[in-house]
Structure formats: C-alpha cells, structure tokens
Amino acid sequence: MRTIVITVAAFSLALIASGVQARELSKGHRFACTWGSDIAAGAQQSKLSGVSLYGARKQLQVRRFQQPWMRMTAMGITEQTYNSSSKLKPAAVKQTYYEQCVRHELARR
C-alpha cells in the first residue's frame, strides 16, 4: 500500500512538473514534442500488435506529413521504438516521450 501511494505521488509530481516546463517552451517546440510522442505511441501500438518494423515503415511511407523533416524523424522514432525491449502501453510511451522531449529542449537552452 505504501509503495502505491509513493508511486502515485511521484507520478503526480512528474505531471505537475512537466506541465510547468511545457509552458516555458515555444509553440513550435511543444508541437514537435507532442507530434513525436504521437509517433512513438503509434509505433509502440504497432509493435505490440505484431506489425513488423518493415510494415510500420511502409505505413509511414504512405502517410502525408506537414513538414519535410517529419518523415525521416518519424522513421527514426519508429525504429528506436521497435529496437527497445519495452512492453509499456502506448499511452505510457507517449507520456514518457513527451516528458523527455520537454526536458531535452529545456536543457538545450
């Protein structure tokens, strides 16, 4: 029981901290982090449902992207997700990716 309370408290603190950090980012950086987290979650969903890396890459090839940099970035995120041994749910991957992206962007400043 004590472990559950500590875990919930730590998760809540992380959510609050990521919300404060997200406000400090520009609109473009927030968009990139959100977009990347969506790609990572989709890749994790594909991986867990049994789609091969080749199949996931083919899906990205036919997808239309708003910016030229998005296609290759999506390929890289997908490949890294497939190379990971993680069995986390896509929502957890999305949250983790977003938090780490925000942390990375703030550290670059």
Side-chain angles (χ1 to χ4, degrees):
M1 184 66 179
R2 183 183 227 176
T3 306
I4 293 172
V5 171
I6 291 171
T7 303
V8 170
F11 185 69
S12 298
L13 183 60
L15 284 176
I16 291 169
S18 69
V20 169
Q21 290 175 348
R23 282 187 220 115
E24 298 174 8
L25 292 180
S26 69
K27 184 178 178 181
H29 284 123
R30 278 195 313 267
F31 170 77
C33 288
T34 301
W35 175 82
S37 67
D38 288 339
I39 295 294
Q44 184 73 358
Q45 177 63 41
S46 295
K47 180 174 107 172
L48 294 177
S49 65
V51 175
S52 68
L53 175 58
Y54 177 78
R57 290 177 64 93
K58 289 294 266 184
Q59 289 174 354
L60 289 175
Q61 286 293 338
V62 298
R63 186 171 167 181
R64 296 188 63 101
F65 292 98
Q66 297 173 356
Q67 301 290 326
W69 57 268
M70 290 178 158
R71 182 174 313 281
M72 288 308 293
T73 305
M75 293 287 188
I77 292 169
T78 300
E79 189 165 336
Q80 287 180 344
T81 301
Y82 268 79
N83 288 340
S84 168
S85 61
S86 170
K87 301 290 185 199
L88 291 173
K89 292 183 180 180
V93 170
K94 181 176 182 169
Q95 181 68 30
T96 302
Y97 184 96
Y98 183 79
E99 289 172 1
Q100 290 179 358
C101 179
V102 167
R103 198 172 306 130
H104 173 74
E105 289 299 329
L106 291 174
R108 285 181 45 188
R109 293 182 180 183

